[in-house]
Amino acid sequence: MPTTFESTPRQDGFRMPGEFERHAGTWMLWPQRPDNWRLGGKPVQKAFVEVASAIAQFEPLTMGANPDQYANARQMLPPEVRVVELSNNDAWMRDCGPTFVVDAQGEVRAVDWVFNAWGGLVNGLYFPWHLDDQVAQKAAEIERCGRYRAPLVLEGGSIHVDGQGTCLTTTECLLSPGRNPDLSQAQIESYLQEYLNVEKVLWIPHGVFNDETSGHVDNLVCFLRPGVLALTWTDDRRDPQFERSAEAYDFLMSAADARGRRFEVHKIHQPAPVLIAPHESEGVDAVDGTLPRQPGDRMAASYINFYLCNAGAIVPQFGDPQDAAAQQTLGVLLPERKLVGVPAREILLGGGNIHCITQQQPAGR
Ligand code: KQY
């Protein structure tokens, strides 16, 4: 059995690399739960196949599937995708999967955070979540990686790092009452420093409007490389996102990273409000007699929820005129990468996007 360490990555000289650094591969989980995905997950399974196929052009991809969906996932996915049985409660690998860390010798270990479905019994999104909470450990075992079990409720989508000592997060999410109510902000920050091996944590006040994760940073802003950020944006002052993005912009423009650099912040205009259609709402199973997705509800659509893989970037598309502008701007900002747009409405209907369903495993030795 791979070792579970009682120490921390920082004590052992391990750090979380930036997503833009070289990957050994990507992990995903196969969607199926009918109270989150419409029509028993059938439409979104096609979207996951598109995302997986796009990533597999650039690096190895592993898809974990529940036992009852293994054969279906295997048949729908291209042969270059490795499909493994990996029990889960839902398909958000970014959030329940491991945060991989590396050391100077190229050894890769896994940080296994406590997962409670984005807020546990206070404001979590489903119960139970015990299978999701085992996903990180199982992925680490498959890869024969040592593991740190971090004593902190945290999802991978609530942090971004530059691999050089800086972590971005939001207070809205990390201080939300359903996660670590007994810890102070200083204690949470100290855990981030220990388990990600960062010097500086930048607490952006809010995430994206109506994001059911309580404001994950990965829908709001991300690193393109150290010192260079992309931020979701709107010029429409009447849009509830305006204040949130403007506040984040001002905060980041007056901040510096762990090495003392000022940030270059690029605005990526969001699509027009994306609303749940009546037929989409009807396709989701009720929970406690109520449809979890109501017609007309606004979803947290953002191009920032793209995924950087080796020499590629997989960018969500919403069928909006802004799709082309987002691709064009990101293409200019990421000249070393091939951009692949993937229709993402079905993933968005489940409450997240491409970044939320992927998890990078950094290249080791
Ligand atoms: O955005 C994410 N990181 C996950 C969203 C989970 C939504 C569950 N319905």
Side-chain angles (χ1 to χ4, degrees), residues 36 90 92 95 118 125 212-213 216 218 293 350-353 356:
N36 191 53
D90 202 359
W92 305 98
D95 290 344
W118 308 274
L125 299 176
E212 64 189 46
T213 62
H216 270 187
D218 72 342
R293 312 252 169 234
N353 221 307
C356 309

Side-chain angles (χ1 to χ4, degrees), residues 162-235:
D162 65 0
Q164 298 184 356
T166 314
C167 173
L168 299 178
T169 190
T170 66
T171 47
E172 180 185 2
C173 180
L174 263 59
L175 300 189
S176 63
R179 287 179 169 93
N180 298 287
D182 300 329
L183 297 180
S184 66
Q185 182 168 348
Q187 288 170 315
I188 294 172
E189 180 162 321
S190 166
Y191 280 129
L192 294 176
Q193 289 171 335
E194 283 299 318
Y195 284 86
L196 301 172
N197 199 353
V198 293
E199 306 305 319
K200 189 162 188 178
V201 180
L202 292 171
W203 295 82
I204 301 166
H206 295 99
V208 168
F209 173 68
N210 255 7
D211 189 324
E212 64 189 46
T213 62
S214 313
H216 270 187
V217 76
D218 72 342
N219 217 17
L220 179 81
V221 62
C222 65
F223 285 102
L224 301 175
R225 58 185 65 83
V228 183
L229 302 169
L231 170 71
T232 193
W233 189 255
T234 176
D235 290 319

Side-chain angles (χ1 to χ4, degrees), residues 273-328:
V274 183
L275 310 180
I276 300 177
H279 75 279
E280 292 170 332
S281 162
E282 278 165 19
V284 183
D285 283 5
V287 179
D288 297 333
T290 310
L291 283 181
R293 312 252 169 234
Q294 294 296 326
D297 278 358
R298 176 161 168 187
M299 297 183 279
S302 158
Y303 296 104
I304 299 304
N305 213 293
F306 63 81
Y307 179 58
L308 293 176
C309 47
N310 292 341
I314 317 301
V315 184
Q317 304 282 275
F318 303 104
D320 184 277
Q322 290 295 341
D323 287 0
Q327 285 256 53
Q328 151 78 15

